[in-house]
Amino acid sequence: MALNAPLLRAKGADDLVVFDGVQKSYDGHTLVVRDLNLAVKRGEFLTLLGPSGSGKTTTLMMLGGFERPTAGHILLDGKPVEALPPEKRDIGFVFQNYALFPHMSVAENVAFPLRYRGVRGAEARQRVAKALDMVRLGGFGGRRPTQLSGGQQQRVALARALVFQPKLVLMDEPLGALDKQLRERMQIEIKHLQQTLGITIVFVTHDQSEALTMSDRVAVFHDGILQQLASPRELYDEPANAFVAGFVGENNFVPCTAMRIGPHAHALLESGLSLVGTMPVALPNAAQAMLAIRPERIGLVASGAEGAVACNIAEAFFLGDHTRVDATVPAFGGMNVTIKLPPSTPVPPPGASAGLVLPEQHCRIIAP
Amino acid sequence: MLWLPSYATGPERLGRLAVLVFVALVLIFLIAPFFVVVPLSVSKEAFFTLPVKEYSWRWYQDFFGNERWIASVINSVIAAVATTILATMLGTAAALGLARPEFPYRRAVMSLMLSPMIVPIVIVAVGSYLFFGGLGLINTRPGLVLSHTALALPFVVVTVAATLSTYDTNLTRAGLSLGAPPVAVFFRVTLPAIAPGVISGAIFAFAVSFDEVVVALFLTSAERRTLPVQMFSGIRDQINPTIMAAATILLGLSIVLFIVATWLGRRGQKA
Ligand SMILES: Nc1ncnc2c1ncn2[C@@H]1O[C@H](COP(=O)(O)OP(=O)(O)OP(=O)(O)O)[C@@H](O)[C@H]1O
Ligand SMILES: [Mg+2]
């Protein structure tokens, strides 16, 4: 007992937030979040990624204290937060529409949280100025939020959520309303701020490239279920199932039966073809599965080459940084496969026969 | 919008003309009293004859020189101010509560709250009279104020609810997440944002109480008479143009209140 207690504490010590079997239903029967188990590490940038309606905002609202879990517990700093109202959680929140107080100046907005922490007068002014400088809005303190551009309002919201040095900052699609260029610049700015300040951020987006750019880890949601929690690279290279494989980046999918023969994982196709691949998550033998191959991982060789799968070129498009080829594969039941080739690769004309090279380590056999 | 494009056909033009004439007649009907009351109030004669031959302020002097009239104005102002404060506070709180999706039986409660707008005023008056009788509230200011508050409440609830429908709940959430307790969030974030609706609701509440005659007739004694009641009894006993002066003052006040309420409503929409 005496030995175990410190060990236990050490185990959870770097988890700032723990979702433990959390469920949420608004109407009493449909579950919007189902059995969520998720730990957010201290200092981590964790993104909740998923399509519209997958429960990302709901998860964030429960963490912020604006919605109550129907079942399960949320631990903040190791302590359950059910009894803690939002104003006592010490969590910064950045909303998609910024939620700046329209009747207050920029400086008053940023000073708002300081007042409730007993910081007033000169010190408050100094911290507000510092926070505005940090988001490169020094000198804008006297303006009203409506007199700022979308990107500037976004930065004020950021300054307001950071000025009181919360242990955790939640952001719900904070860049959703910005144009592409500004969004990409803000992604990098937020990431830099997070790293220099060493804060923990839980970020929500439905934009996979945003999630990959910014996050230490990404939690992919679909229909209220956490599909996979992994680093961006792992998510891309080792998707746990077909949903993740299709949602993060592009993929070719071929239905198959999973088979483990000796040390190798095989995908048995309906045509009788058997391809050797990898299984990021072990599947039972003879399970229905999907063979997933990234377009940029497929090679194109001359027809009849050793070990290549025969195909017919349907179309080819030169796109500057790569060439995109669509090919029909008889062994895949006549399905079309998309291939991305380096721009300098010569491509056979439409109608020509060719061979596909499907490297073993890039053939993912995953749950459908 | 009012005028038709040049390609409009003959019947269309005729139809539009008919609509315009009808609208003009309705407007004239609505503001006709204005053109009778205001001139008569500045006529020198003691009889109601139009057109006015000689002008004078004597009826206004009469009005302001008469203790009864002044007392009734004071009574009305006290009742209206108290009603405004009470109805605005209760109505705003009710609208805030009813705006929450988890409020149980929202629609039923809302209908109940709005019922004084539909129930015939005589029924409210008789009901108040019988109910307050048992409580000793007849011929008292609190009795009148309570009854007027019930009448004014729907106006506050409706105007505040309208403003709240455009209010961004994330503002409240932002306030809470920044560490402000709920009461502080209400006064520093929500109230400033919905202020136009609250103020125009308050103006309606004031107008409802200040104009109300039926309930006031039932619930007030001679010394607590409000201005409309005083006018009403004035018409019954000794009819003279002082009434016209009183009516003009009431009318002027209503117009000012209406303009302020409309202006605030516009400002609320823009924000
Ligand atoms: N207040 C609410 N009352 C009832 N149902 C709700 C409420 N909020 C969300 N939902 C439902 O819960 C589900 C998940 O919603 P949520 O807002 O969490 O999704 P999301 O992943 O944030 O989607 P988006 O990307 O569109 O913002 C949806 O089906 C939605 O209709
Ligand atoms: Mg959302």
Side-chain angles (χ1 to χ4, degrees):
Chain A
M1 194 62 205
L3 265 175
N4 274 349
L7 263 177
L8 277 177
R9 212 176 300 134
K11 186 169 168 266
D14 48 339
D15 290 338
L16 180 60
V17 177
V18 175
F19 286 89
D20 180 16
V22 170
Q23 309 226 2
K24 175 70 187 177
S25 171
Y26 287 105
D27 56 8
H29 46 95
T30 42
L31 284 178
V32 168
V33 171
R34 279 187 242 189
D35 193 32
L36 177 62
N37 293 293
L38 173 70
V40 184
K41 293 192 193 113
R42 234 169 266 281
E44 178 175 43
F45 195 117
L46 185 122
T47 297
L48 312 182
L49 173 69
S52 190
S54 56
K56 309 180 296 288
T57 298
T58 303
T59 304
L60 218 55
M61 289 293 165
M62 288 191 287
L63 185 47
F66 305 117
E67 291 292 348
R68 211 170 253 284
T70 313
H73 298 282
I74 298 174
L75 308 182
L76 187 63
D77 247 340
K79 290 182 282 289
V81 288
E82 277 85 74
L84 218 52
E87 68 271 18
K88 301 238 170 75
R89 293 197 182 189
D90 204 32
I91 294 176
F93 212 125
V94 179
F95 297 88
Q96 174 165 9
N97 54 3
Y98 319 133
L100 298 177
F101 306 134
H103 55 283
M104 296 183 197
S105 71
V106 165
E108 284 166 341
N109 263 279
V110 178
F112 189 92
L114 296 178
R115 179 188 171 127
Y116 298 101
R117 287 169 176 78
V119 184
R120 281 162 194 267
E123 197 200 335
R125 276 194 297 280
Q126 193 193 335
R127 277 176 68 175
V128 168
K130 222 176 111 191
L132 285 175
D133 279 342
M134 181 180 73
V135 295
R136 300 192 289 114
L137 279 180
F140 284 77
R143 294 220 198 163
R144 290 282 159 135
T146 46
Q147 298 169 320
L148 299 179
S149 74
Q152 290 168 334
Q153 292 182 31
Q154 166 61 57
R155 291 212 194 93
V156 176
L158 208 57
R160 190 179 65 176
L162 293 175
V163 71
F164 60 100
Q165 297 165 343
K167 51 184 171 246
L168 176 64
V169 178
L170 311 180
M171 303 190 181
D172 191 0
E173 308 208 23
L175 309 178
L178 306 181
D179 65 56
K180 190 164 177 290
Q181 275 195 332
L182 190 55
R183 193 160 67 214
E184 284 169 3
R185 219 175 62 214
M186 287 302 297
Q187 286 171 5
I188 296 174
E189 271 183 42
I190 292 176
K191 182 73 192 167
H192 281 171
L193 275 177
Q194 184 252 342
Q195 283 169 340
T196 41
L197 300 177
I199 43 175
T200 311
I201 292 186
V202 178
F203 190 94
V204 163
T205 182
H206 58 246
D207 178 343
Q208 49 118 352
S209 78
E210 187 162 287
L212 297 184
T213 309
M214 304 179 78
S215 322
D216 296 317
R217 286 193 303 161
V218 181
V220 182
F221 278 73
H222 181 45
D223 283 343
I225 301 174
L226 175 59
Q227 305 285 321
Q228 188 171 10
L229 173 64
S231 70
R233 179 167 290 278
E234 208 181 326
L235 212 59
Y236 191 83
D237 285 339
E238 285 162 40
N241 58 37
F243 176 80
V244 177
F247 195 74
V248 180
E250 225 183 321
N251 243 317
N252 291 295
F253 291 106
V254 189
C256 67
T257 306
M259 274 296 179
R260 187 164 281 281
I261 304 167
H264 296 293
H266 289 256
L268 299 180
L269 307 190
E270 232 163 73
S271 64
L273 182 70
S274 165
L275 290 169
V276 181
T278 59
M279 262 185 222
V281 178
L283 298 174
N285 258 347
Q288 284 296 313
M290 276 288 177
L291 176 64
I293 318 162
R294 299 270 179 207
E296 70 274 18
R297 301 299 193 189
I298 302 178
L300 199 61
V301 294
S303 165
E306 166 90 42
V309 178
C311 70
N312 294 307
I313 306 296
E315 273 178 302
F317 310 94
F318 176 67
L319 292 168
D321 61 339
H322 71 272
T323 304
R324 182 190 182 93
V325 179
D326 284 346
T328 321
V329 187
F332 293 175
M335 273 178 53
N336 260 2
V337 162
T338 301
I339 310 157
K340 278 187 192 170
L341 296 173
S344 54
T345 321
V347 179
S353 303
L356 297 181
V357 180
L358 307 170
E360 177 186 329
Q361 71 271 28
H362 297 306
C363 289
R364 311 277 166 212
I365 302 163
I366 54 182
Chain B
M1 235 172 59
L2 203 57
W3 310 112
L4 286 178
S6 54
Y7 50 76
T9 60
E12 272 174 356
R13 282 169 192 282
L14 209 66
R16 176 58 59 99
L17 189 70
V19 168
L20 287 179
V21 168
F22 183 69
V23 168
L25 286 175
V26 169
L27 289 179
I28 289 170
F29 178 75
L30 286 176
I31 57 172
F34 182 87
F35 292 108
V36 177
V37 170
V38 176
L40 284 179
S41 76
V42 287
S43 167
K44 197 167 180 179
E45 285 176 61
F47 311 102
F48 299 131
T49 48
L50 282 173
V52 176
K53 291 192 199 78
E54 236 182 312
Y55 293 95
S56 93
W57 291 112
R58 63 181 279 208
W59 307 118
Y60 287 87
Q61 281 162 357
D62 226 36
F63 179 87
F64 287 107
N66 185 324
E67 235 170 77
R68 280 225 207 142
W69 282 110
I70 296 304
S72 75
V73 169
I74 291 170
N75 282 333
S76 267
V77 168
I78 290 173
V81 168
T83 299
T84 304
I85 293 169
L86 210 57
T88 306
M89 288 191 332
L90 293 174
T92 303
L96 278 168
L98 288 166
R100 301 178 73 125
E102 69 267 27
F103 195 100
Y105 306 107
R106 264 168 91 181
R107 279 163 182 272
V109 174
M110 188 75 166
S111 310
L112 200 67
M113 198 88 74
L114 299 188
S115 61
M117 276 173 136
I118 307 154
V119 175
I121 187 75
V122 176
I123 294 182
V124 176
V126 174
S128 302
Y129 186 80
L130 295 177
F131 183 65
F132 286 169
L135 300 174
L137 283 172
I138 294 174
N139 295 339
T140 66
R141 279 211 174 101
L144 182 64
V145 168
L146 283 178
S147 217
H148 277 184
T149 299
L151 292 175
L153 203 61
F155 293 90
V156 180
V157 172
V158 167
T159 50
V160 176
T163 322
L164 272 177
S165 66
T166 60
Y167 174 75
D168 177 12
T169 11
N170 276 348
L171 289 178
T172 303
R173 292 189 177 131
L176 292 172
S177 80
L178 295 170
V183 174
V185 172
F186 174 74
F187 282 108
R188 291 195 65 205
V189 177
T190 312
L191 193 56
I194 62 169
V198 175
I199 295 171
S200 60
I203 289 170
F204 276 119
F206 187 91
V208 164
S209 170
F210 206 74
D211 282 353
E212 203 284 324
V213 61
V214 181
V215 172
L217 262 177
F218 273 79
L219 293 184
T220 51
S221 58
E223 70 273 20
R224 290 263 187 270
R225 259 181 198 170
T226 61
L227 181 57
V229 175
Q230 175 63 30
M231 287 171 74
F232 189 71
S233 50
I235 293 170
R236 275 190 321 192
D237 348 313
Q238 24 93 251
I239 188 147
N240 82 34
T242 312
I243 284 212
M244 294 301 163
T248 305
I249 290 167
L250 257 178
L251 208 64
L253 189 74
S254 298
I255 290 171
V256 169
L257 290 180
F258 180 75
I259 289 172
V260 173
T262 312
W263 179 72
L264 283 169
R266 289 250 178 83
R267 230 183 49 158
Q269 271 166 17
K270 260 186 259 159

